[in-house]
């Protein structure tokens, strides 16, 4: 038996040797005759390597003499060939020169543009490349609670200069007629609101595609009208939008305004910051064509793209002012105190409008007597001309505190908090393009400021303000939380609008007043604490929201696959079909089928399969808000099957934005499921108010056998362990409780002292749920995290 096995192994060994013979010969040849820069002496054993052998090849063994001779001849012919001159690397001192640094900074901004505060943030923050910008995400130090305290008691500073500004200029009647096609009065005030149209208030709208409300959602936008000028017939309007939806909004504006003709703008120097006077270096030929000034370009359009369009029919001109205006946001009750400490009204009044400048200065001085930023009317606008804040920069960093002494002008402060700022005081030279460019190019350099400081007789005293140091700006009030009944006006503050090039000149003085600095992460948390949807995270019906959801799904799935298989959550066993993405369309369609709409009602709602929408009609939201409370309001219509069917017919397949508060312990997570409680669940809560809630039975992983073999590229989803592949089964009735929706933001709320979540749920599902609940338990739902089987009781609130 052993002999037969030995004989059977011999042919296999010979076949293996024959198959590897060519590889072995190639390896021996490479070792014996090294090519390129390999030295021939590497083939010798260590005890035979001698330096003398390199001079006399006869000392080498005979088998290596030929190769050594070829290397010697090659080295003799080397001087005859022209060697490629390697570029000489500059010293660190040369690389750190001002001109060289700016050239390097401009090169690094070819793909993702920088804000004016980028270098300051890059030293202290984790940076994220998104929306064609490089933006600060969150600080490198632990500062979440400190940032919350700043928003709650002092002030938090953010750089929002990456927001895009589109300017419309033309006849007021033509502009309002065109913009009316992009909005609806059912969703709230539009561009024609009286308070906003005068220029005294900033407004907010939700934009849709032309004449497609409630379909064709684009995203939110803030707008600001320029106050009427007596001698001017045209009006100016600024529309501030997120960079993720700029191209969509710009296309719709060109459509409704009929502005398809691009206007050629004279190419000017791209310099936005003057270089300090000094010795100039001698540049290389490659750098001669590149500017040595810092480029403050736009990351949302390619270089050379048009920035202005006009219409010969309507007379409207659209201008892209992205990155032309710096925008800072101060959030907190003492934001006005920080501004009054940092900004000093211009010591020398402008040549024109002396009385207006004095009125604006008086109103600005009255802000010192206001106790909190929340006392001012939401959206009020104040124009101002201030001196260069670097002239009054303190010696060391401090913290701005309010003045506790009673003001002698209490009546004027009271009028300011009740009526706000008059429309004519909202005027500013910042609206004029020529004024912005003049102020940008006349900014004093740091070298000149340091020279002026060195010439002071008393070190640390105030520098004399030069005439070119006057900067026009706009102060725009942010109302904070304006919907709902809890924590009203929380998160209010001021927006500071400046001409480009002045970013760091105002940023450092603001930081020296003790403000906390936040990034994109704190913007999301700020919206979450206000119960407000954050763009583009919480806009699933917008194109930008769909793109964000796809990117988020890929990121979460990649993070999930990086963990070892034994440490991953098996979402199939937890009954979670969509741990990384929320199938909103499937949810709304299944709820419509479940509520058994009549054929007549369905035909009125839609003629065929249509995309879901997010409910933004104020009338419908008020009804849902009243019905979802334990006790309905007297002025609201009672909830019956007839009223619920009428609202379903009006809304169709739609989602509603809700706020969830846990009744007990627990911390909601991203994509947690909002479910319908059964009758037994409600009775359990009546018996024990501190009940933890029911539990979901563990599901069986019916796809376990598919992972026993390697799948091909045609089945990529089955290769992920613990995740249900597409197409998904019924998301409505997959678990023991019916699914209403999913959480898009969830965490432990420091403001409420318990777990809070923000979610979208089906309108049809919500009406179906509250119709079956008793009056005293209306609005109760169940919340379950994707990685848990435990349900938690929560209460729904719809803030209107």
């Amino acid at each position: 038996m052993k002999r037969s096995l030995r004989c059977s192994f011999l042919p296999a060994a010979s076949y293996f040797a024959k198959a590897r013979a060519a590889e072995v010969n190639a390896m021996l040849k490479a070792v014996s005759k090294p090519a390129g820069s390999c030295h021939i002496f590497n083939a010798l054993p260590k005890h035979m390597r001698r330096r003398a052998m390199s001079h006399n090849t006869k000392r080498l063994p005979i088998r290596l003499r030929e190769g050594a001779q070829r290397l010697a001849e090659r080295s003799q012919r080397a001087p005859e060939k022209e060697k490629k001159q390697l570029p000489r690397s500059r010293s660190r001192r040369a690389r750190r020169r001002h001109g060289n640094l700016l050239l390097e900074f401009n090169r690094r901004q070819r793909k993702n543009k920088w804000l004016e505060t980028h270098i300051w943030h890059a030293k202290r923050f984790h940076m994220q490349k998104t929306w064609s910008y490089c933006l600060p995400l969150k600080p490198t130090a632990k500062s979440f609670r400190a940032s919350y305290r700043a928003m709650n008691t002092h002030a938090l500073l953010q750089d929002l200069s990456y927001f895009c500004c589109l300017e419309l200029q033309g006849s007021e009647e033509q502009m309002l007629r065109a913009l009316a096609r992009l909005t609806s009065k059912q969703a709230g005030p539009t561009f024609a609101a009286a308070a906003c149209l005068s220029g005294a208030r900033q407004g907010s709208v939700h934009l849709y595609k032309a004449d497609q409300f409630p379909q064709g959602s684009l995203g939110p936008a803030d707008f600001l009208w320029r106050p009427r000028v007596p001698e001017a017939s045209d009006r100016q309007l600024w529309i501030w939008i997120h960079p993720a939806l700029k191209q969509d909004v710009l296309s719709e504006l060109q459509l409704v305004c009929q502005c398809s003709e691009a206007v050629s703008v004279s190419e000017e120097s791209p310099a936005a910051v003057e270089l300090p006077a000094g010795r100039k270096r001698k540049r290389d030929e490659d750098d001669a064509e590149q500017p040595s000034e810092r480029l403050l370009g736009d990351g949302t359009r390619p270089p050379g793209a048009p920035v202005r369009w006009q219409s010969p029919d309507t007379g409207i001109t659209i201008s892209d002012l992205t990155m032309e205006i710096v925008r800072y946001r101060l959030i907190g009750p003492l934001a006005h105190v920080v501004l009054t400490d940092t900004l000093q009204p211009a010591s020398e009044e402008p040549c024109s409008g002396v009385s207006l400048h004095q009125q604006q200065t008086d109103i600005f001085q009255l802000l010192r007597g206001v106790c909190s930023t929340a006392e001012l009317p939401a959206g009020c606008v104040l124009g101002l001309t201030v001196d260069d804040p670097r002239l009054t920069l303190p010696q060391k960093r401090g913290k701005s505190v309010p003045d506790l002494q009673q003001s002698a002008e209490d009546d004027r402060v009271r009028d300011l908090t009740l009526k706000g700022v008059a429309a004519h005081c909202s005027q500013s030279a910042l609206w004029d393009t020529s004024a912005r460019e003049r102020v940008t190019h006349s900014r004093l350099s740091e070298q000149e400021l340091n020279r002026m400081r060195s010439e002071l007789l008393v070190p640390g005293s105030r520098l004399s303000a030069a005439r070119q140091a006057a900067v026009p700006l706009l102060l725009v009030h942010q109302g904070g939380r304006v919907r709902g009944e809890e924590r009203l006006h929380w998160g209010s503050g001021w927006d500071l609008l400046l001409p480009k090039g002045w970013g760091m000149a105002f940023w450092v003085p603001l930081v020296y007043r003790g403000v906390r600095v936040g990034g994109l992460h704190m913007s999301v948390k700020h919206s979450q604490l206000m119960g407000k949807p954050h763009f583009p995270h919480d806009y699933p019906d917008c194109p930008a929201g769909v793109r964000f959801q796809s990117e988020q799904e890929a990121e979460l799935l990649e993070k999930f696959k990086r963990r070892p298989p034994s440490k991953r959550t098996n979402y199939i066993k937890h009954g979670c079909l969509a741990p990384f993405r929320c199938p909103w369309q499937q949810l709304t369609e299944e709820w419509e089928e479940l509520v058994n709409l009549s054929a007549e009602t369905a035909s009125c709602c839609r003629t065929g399969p249509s995309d879901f929408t997010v409910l933004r009609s104020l009338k419908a939201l008020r009804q849902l808000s009243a019905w979802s409370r334990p006790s309905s309001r007297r002025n609201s219509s009672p909830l019956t099957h007839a009223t619920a069917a009428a609202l379903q017919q009006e809304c169709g397949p739609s989602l509603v934005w809700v706020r969830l508060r846990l009744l007990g312990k627990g911390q909601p997570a991203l994509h947690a499921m909002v479910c319908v409680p059964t009758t037994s669940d409600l009775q359990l809560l009546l018996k024990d108010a501190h009940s933890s809630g029911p539990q979901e039975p563990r599901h069986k992983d019916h796809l376990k056998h598919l992972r026993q073999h390697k799948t091909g590229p045609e089945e990529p989803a089955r290769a992920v362990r613990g995740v249900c592949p597409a197409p998904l089964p019924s998301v409505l009735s997959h678990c023991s409780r019916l699914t209403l929706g999913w959480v898009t933001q969830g965490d432990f709320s420091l403001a409420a002292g318990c777990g809070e979540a923000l979610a979208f749920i089906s309108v049809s599902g919500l009406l179906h749920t509250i119709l079956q609940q008793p009056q005293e338990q209306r609005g109760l739902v169940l919340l379950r995290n994707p990685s848990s089987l435990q349900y938690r009781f929560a209460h729904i609130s719809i803030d209107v």
Side-chain angles (χ1 to χ4, degrees):
M1 183 65 182
K2 295 182 179 179
R3 184 177 181 181
S4 61
L5 290 175
R6 188 183 305 169
C7 295
S8 63
F9 289 151
L10 290 177
S14 61
Y15 293 153
F16 179 81
K18 291 180 180 179
R20 298 295 179 266
E23 300 177 6
V24 173
N25 293 333
M27 181 184 65
L28 294 175
K29 183 178 180 181
V31 171
S32 60
K33 295 182 179 180
S37 60
C38 296
H39 206 277
I40 197 68
F41 303 106
N42 293 339
L44 289 173
K46 292 184 178 180
H47 70 279
M48 294 183 62
R49 297 176 186 176
R50 300 289 185 272
R51 293 182 182 177
M53 294 182 181
S54 61
H55 303 286
N56 189 1
T57 58
K58 294 182 179 180
R59 293 178 178 268
L60 289 172
I62 298 177
R63 61 184 177 86
L64 298 178
R65 291 179 185 177
E66 183 180 356
Q69 188 66 29
R70 288 198 304 267
L71 289 177
E73 294 176 358
R74 186 186 304 174
S75 61
Q76 293 175 1
R77 294 194 303 267
E80 301 176 1
K81 298 182 180 179
E82 295 182 0
K83 294 186 178 180
K84 183 179 180 181
Q85 296 182 357
L86 299 176
R88 186 180 60 180
S89 59
R90 300 190 182 115
S91 63
R92 187 180 185 278
R93 182 178 180 181
R95 294 195 307 267
R96 299 295 295 178
R97 286 174 182 167
H98 185 68
N100 292 336
L101 272 181
L102 290 177
L103 288 174
E104 179 65 15
F105 291 162
N106 293 337
R107 183 192 65 80
R108 293 164 62 183
Q109 297 183 63
R110 292 175 183 174
K111 187 176 181 181
N112 297 285
K113 296 298 180 181
W114 293 357
L115 304 182
E116 295 188 23
T117 58
H118 172 83
I119 298 178
W120 189 95
H121 279 104
K123 296 177 180 179
R124 301 164 177 88
F125 277 70
H126 297 287
M127 308 301 290
Q128 181 179 359
K129 296 179 180 179
T130 178
W131 308 312
S132 300
Y133 290 98
C134 192
L135 304 178
L137 180 61
K138 55 184 178 181
T140 55
K142 295 181 180 180
S143 62
F144 176 72
R145 287 181 177 268
S147 299
Y148 169 74
R149 288 194 297 268
M151 290 190 294
N152 198 36
T153 60
H154 194 253
L156 180 80
L157 178 62
Q158 291 178 318
D159 189 354
L160 302 184
S161 303
Y162 60 92
F163 271 73
C164 303
C165 180
L166 301 178
E167 182 186 70
L168 273 67
Q169 188 171 4
S171 171
E172 178 182 325
E173 182 181 358
Q174 293 286 348
M175 292 167 61
L176 290 177
R177 185 182 296 111
L179 294 173
R181 301 176 59 188
L182 304 180
T183 58
S184 175
K185 294 182 179 180
Q186 300 181 22
T190 62
F191 290 97
C196 302
L197 192 60
S198 63
R201 298 283 192 277
Q202 177 187 251
S204 299
V205 294
H206 191 89
L207 300 177
Y208 294 84
K209 292 184 179 180
D211 306 323
Q212 293 189 20
F213 177 83
Q215 299 286 339
S217 174
L218 293 178
D222 296 333
F223 65 93
L224 181 63
W225 287 92
R226 183 178 185 177
R228 294 182 176 89
V229 181
E231 61 274 8
S233 58
D234 292 345
R235 295 292 305 273
Q236 279 181 266
L237 172 66
W238 283 349
I239 301 178
W240 294 87
I241 54 178
H242 195 274
L245 63 99
K246 173 187 172 182
Q247 297 302 329
D248 300 330
V249 173
L250 184 59
S251 302
E252 293 298 322
L253 285 176
Q254 294 175 352
L255 174 64
V256 298
C257 297
Q258 304 177 16
C259 296
S260 58
E261 181 179 350
V263 180
S264 60
V265 183
S266 59
E267 296 292 337
E268 300 178 356
S269 175
V273 180
E274 288 189 352
L275 289 176
R279 185 179 61 184
K280 296 184 178 180
R281 68 177 180 90
K282 184 178 180 180
R283 302 181 187 173
D284 299 335
E285 295 180 357
D286 298 339
D287 299 340
E289 300 178 356
Q290 300 180 6
S292 61
E293 294 83 5
R294 184 178 179 185
L295 300 180
L296 301 179
D298 176 23
T300 60
R301 61 173 180 262
V307 297
R308 186 174 298 174
W309 302 265
Q310 67 179 4
S311 171
D313 299 330
T314 60
I316 300 176
T317 302
I318 301 177
S319 302
D320 187 2
L321 301 183
T322 304
M323 296 293 287
E324 293 292 322
I325 300 175
V326 178
R327 185 162 190 152
Y328 295 155
R329 175 162 294 177
L330 282 165
I331 304 170
L334 299 185
H336 63 290
V337 179
V338 175
L339 289 175
T340 53
D341 285 350
T342 306
L343 306 180
Q344 298 293 331
S347 53
E348 296 185 7
E349 298 177 349
C351 300
S352 60
V354 175
S355 59
L356 177 61
H357 174 73
Q358 187 61 41
Q359 293 178 22
Q360 293 173 342
T361 302
D362 295 341
I363 294 176
F364 181 71
Q365 298 296 343
L366 290 177
L367 292 179
R368 171 65 69 172
V370 179
C371 295
S372 175
T373 308
E375 296 182 7
L376 297 169
C380 61
V381 182
L382 175 63
L384 197 63
T385 303
V386 299
D387 288 334
D388 192 336
R390 295 174 296 175
L391 303 177
T392 57
L393 187 68
Q395 291 291 323
K396 60 181 180 179
R397 183 172 177 176
K399 192 170 185 178
S400 297
V401 293
D403 189 2
L404 300 180
Q405 297 180 357
Q406 293 291 334
S407 174
E409 301 177 343
D410 290 340
D411 296 338
R412 298 185 60 188
V413 173
R414 189 180 301 107
D415 292 341
L416 177 63
T417 57
L418 293 177
K419 301 178 182 179
V421 182
H424 68 280
C425 292
S426 302
Q427 188 63 259
S428 175
L430 190 66
W431 290 92
D432 298 329
T433 304
S434 58
R436 293 197 304 267
E437 293 179 352
R438 182 177 64 254
V439 172
T440 296
H441 293 287
S442 63
R443 188 180 69 91
L444 292 176
S445 63
E446 293 292 339
Q447 181 180 5
E448 183 66 21
L449 283 174
N450 292 334
R451 185 190 60 80
M452 294 170 59
R453 291 191 181 99
S454 64
E455 296 175 356
L456 287 175
L457 296 178
V458 180
S461 59
R462 190 182 189 278
L463 296 174
S464 59
R467 189 169 186 83
Q468 65 269 22
V471 185
L473 53 85
L474 281 173
L475 298 176
V476 183
H477 183 266
Q478 298 293 328
R481 185 183 175 90
V482 295
R483 292 187 176 184
E485 299 178 354
E486 302 176 3
R487 304 194 303 269
L488 281 177
H489 303 292
W490 188 93
S492 59
W494 286 92
D495 281 7
L496 181 61
L497 276 62
L498 308 167
K500 70 176 181 180
W502 285 87
M504 287 303 299
F506 282 79
W507 183 267
V508 174
L510 288 172
V511 173
Y512 264 58
R513 265 66 184 190
V515 300
R516 200 82 186 182
V517 181
L520 296 178
H521 178 68
M522 286 312 301
S523 296
V524 178
K525 292 301 178 182
H526 178 237
S527 300
Q528 180 180 344
L529 292 171
M530 290 195 304
K532 177 182 177 182
H534 184 77
F535 190 87
H537 300 60
D538 307 317
Y539 286 82
D541 60 334
C542 300
V546 174
R547 292 193 295 267
F548 172 81
Q549 190 174 10
S550 301
E551 295 172 359
Q552 186 185 54
E553 180 189 16
E555 180 182 354
L556 293 177
L557 182 60
E558 185 64 27
K559 182 179 179 181
F560 176 77
K561 292 191 294 185
R562 284 199 301 264
R563 298 179 64 87
S566 60
K567 301 298 185 291
R568 300 177 189 170
T569 302
N570 193 322
Y571 293 109
I572 298 179
K573 291 185 178 181
H574 284 75
C576 181
L577 295 179
F580 309 127
R581 182 169 183 161
C582 304
W584 303 112
Q585 184 68 32
Q586 185 176 352
L587 177 71
T588 54
E589 292 177 355
E590 291 182 4
W591 265 112
E592 280 203 335
E593 296 176 0
L594 182 65
V595 296
N596 295 325
L597 295 175
S598 61
E600 180 179 357
T601 305
S603 62
C604 295
C605 293
R606 55 177 183 172
T607 58
S610 60
D611 296 335
F612 71 93
T613 61
V614 174
L615 184 62
R616 296 186 177 92
S617 174
L618 294 181
K619 180 181 178 182
L621 288 175
R622 291 191 185 100
Q623 287 183 344
L624 283 176
S625 178
W627 290 342
S628 60
R629 295 174 181 174
S631 58
S632 300
R633 294 181 177 179
R634 295 180 179 179
N635 55 358
S636 62
S637 59
L639 176 61
T640 60
H641 289 277
T643 55
L647 186 60
Q648 291 174 7
Q649 177 181 354
E650 177 185 353
C651 300
S654 58
L655 302 171
V656 60
W657 174 258
V658 297
R659 181 168 53 91
L660 302 171
R661 174 172 293 183
L662 295 180
L663 302 185
K665 62 180 181 179
Q667 180 174 336
L670 180 65
H671 297 162
M673 290 170 285
V674 184
C675 302
V676 180
T678 61
T679 306
S680 60
D681 297 337
L682 297 178
Q683 293 177 357
L684 177 63
L685 185 62
L686 286 177
K687 295 178 181 179
D688 184 9
H690 302 284
S691 174
S692 299
Q695 280 196 350
E696 175 72 16
R698 185 176 294 272
H699 294 225
K700 183 179 179 181
D701 189 358
H702 59 282
L703 300 177
K704 186 177 181 180
H705 65 282
L706 297 178
R707 295 191 302 270
Q708 295 178 0
H709 58 85
K710 184 178 179 181
T711 57
E714 67 277 0
E715 296 176 339
R718 295 185 178 181
V720 182
R721 178 182 180 182
V723 179
C724 187
L728 298 178
S730 175
V731 297
L732 181 61
S733 57
H734 179 72
C735 299
S736 60
R737 273 75 175 174
L738 297 178
T739 305
L740 275 175
W742 291 279
V743 170
T744 59
Q745 297 181 32
D747 202 352
F748 182 85
S749 175
L750 296 176
C754 62
E756 276 194 345
L758 302 173
F760 282 105
I761 61 176
S762 170
V763 174
S764 302
L766 177 61
L767 292 173
H768 176 77
T769 301
I770 59 181
L771 275 172
Q772 297 179 352
Q773 292 179 341
Q775 180 69 34
E776 64 276 4
Q777 288 186 318
R778 280 186 176 177
L780 285 177
V781 294
L782 293 175
L783 199 66
R784 183 166 69 92
N785 289 338
S787 58
S788 175
L789 295 173
Q790 179 69 48
Y791 286 98
R792 304 287 183 183
F793 287 104
H795 192 274
I796 284 179
S797 298
I798 301 177
D799 299 332
V800 183

